[in-house]
Amino acid sequence: MAVIGAGSWGTAVANLLANKGYSVHLWARDTSVVEAIRETGRHPKYLKDIDVHENIAPTVDLEEAIGPAHVVVMATPSHAMRDIAIKAKGLILGNKKVVSLAKGVEQNSLKRMSQVLEEMLAPEMQNKIAVLSGPNHAEEVSKYIPSATVISSRSKSVAEELQNVFMTPFFRVYTNPDLVGVELGGATKNVIAIAAGISDGLGYGDNTKASLITRGLAEMIRLGLAMGADVRTFAGLAGMGDLVVTCMSKHSRNRGVGEMLGKGMTLDQITGEMSMVAEGIKTAGAIRDMAKEHNVYMPITELVTEVLHEGKNPFACVSELMMRGAVEEIRGLSWETE
């Protein structure tokens, strides 16, 4: 196995695979990370209290990592996916399978990660690409806390093969053929989680957060349906499951960004203090652009983008959301009497 990207989630997945008996190469950009893992058996930045499994060989050499691998796990942030795919194109060939862990949308092209990989990798790899998405914080998976996830691919056989690769007694894997829905769920929920964090930072309560989660889910579904996703996916692990954990968890980087915004910090101050990527920061604008392209109404996403990138006051967003015109909760339902 090859895991490309030694962030917290990449490291946790590498450990998961190594614990199953696979030989894993873990690729990192930073030579100091590789050296630290080799010398101490621990990651110097992430999951510092977790031993890196002895079956994991850290490396900065893409060819060393990918060459012998049957499965290549792309654990890079969404904004780095294209660059890494370009460099790995000549190495990812034949019967290899590729799994994206990134939960984001490319900013300029508005492509999902599977689309970026399809575009950049060799034509023979088109039906060997999959994505893994669900309520899976690295901090918990690395400690064998029971979790569940979804594998999606155009190919049923590829999804089922990877389902068996990743399945463990504490990590339950489901398959889902709705690649669009699974990827959109993973990307859009990060934006809603920033809104939930803003609510926390402003000092609001559980009623507010539950309302944001529910109406955020409605936005996710509207966009998904406009882009050809199956509505049932958003009731599953890659939709509602991932949305809830990202909006509620202390481990959620996106919720944490929102909380700091709600408390008055600027985005520059927040990113200056962060060592890990919060996908929602870059994805928010891309999701807003996708919504406009498909004529989909996403007011929470719109306001989060304005707070992140246009300097809008978070408190002002609350009034805008609450004072919009009165509408039906679920359009299209029939009344018994008019």
Side-chain angles (χ1 to χ4, degrees), residues 126-197:
Q126 299 300 294
N127 292 320
K128 299 171 185 175
I129 295 168
V131 300
L132 184 149
S133 190
N136 308 140
H137 283 307
E139 293 84 355
E140 296 187 3
V141 172
S142 64
K143 294 178 179 177
Y144 314 126
I145 294 173
S147 306
T149 197
V150 174
I151 284 278
S152 183
S153 174
R154 297 186 189 280
S155 166
K156 181 180 180 181
S157 63
V158 168
E160 289 177 344
E161 178 183 341
L162 292 168
Q163 180 182 38
N164 291 327
V165 166
F166 286 94
M167 183 86 80
T168 79
F170 65 89
F171 195 67
R172 182 164 178 79
V173 184
Y174 293 82
T175 60
N176 185 333
D178 180 16
L179 196 55
V180 175
V182 169
E183 288 191 279
L184 283 181
T188 53
K189 59 87 185 182
N190 284 328
V191 183
I192 306 304
I194 292 175

Side-chain angles (χ1 to χ4, degrees), residues 189-190 193-194 197 246 252-259 278-281:
K189 59 87 185 182
N190 284 328
I194 292 175
T246 311
S252 170
R253 297 190 290 273
N254 292 284
R255 192 210 61 79
V257 166
E259 182 174 3
E279 289 276 19
I281 294 173

Side-chain angles (χ1 to χ4, degrees), residues 103 134-135 137 184-202 208-220 239-262 270 277-281 283-284 287 298 300-305 307-308 314 321:
K103 296 178 178 179
H137 283 307
L184 283 181
T188 53
K189 59 87 185 182
N190 284 328
V191 183
I192 306 304
I194 292 175
I198 290 173
S199 173
D200 288 339
L202 291 171
T208 313
K209 188 180 287 189
S211 300
L212 284 168
I213 291 172
T214 308
R215 297 313 303 165
L217 179 63
E219 292 190 13
M220 293 164 60
M240 191 65 180
D242 206 2
L243 175 65
V244 168
V245 78
T246 311
C247 288
M248 302 295 292
S249 176
K250 63 183 179 181
H251 300 306
S252 170
R253 297 190 290 273
N254 292 284
R255 192 210 61 79
V257 166
E259 182 174 3
M260 288 184 278
L261 287 168
I270 294 167
V277 174
E279 289 276 19
I281 294 173
T283 297
I287 297 296
M298 300 183 72
I300 299 173
T301 299
E302 175 71 36
L303 290 172
V304 167
T305 305
V307 170
L308 283 169
L321 287 172

Side-chain angles (χ1 to χ4, degrees), residues 259-266 269:
E259 182 174 3
M260 288 184 278
L261 287 168
K263 289 180 177 178
M265 292 180 66
T266 67
Q269 289 173 327

Side-chain angles (χ1 to χ4, degrees), residues 268-285:
D268 286 342
Q269 289 173 327
I270 294 167
T271 55
E273 293 182 4
M274 293 183 69
S275 61
M276 294 187 286
V277 174
E279 289 276 19
I281 294 173
K282 292 182 179 293
T283 297

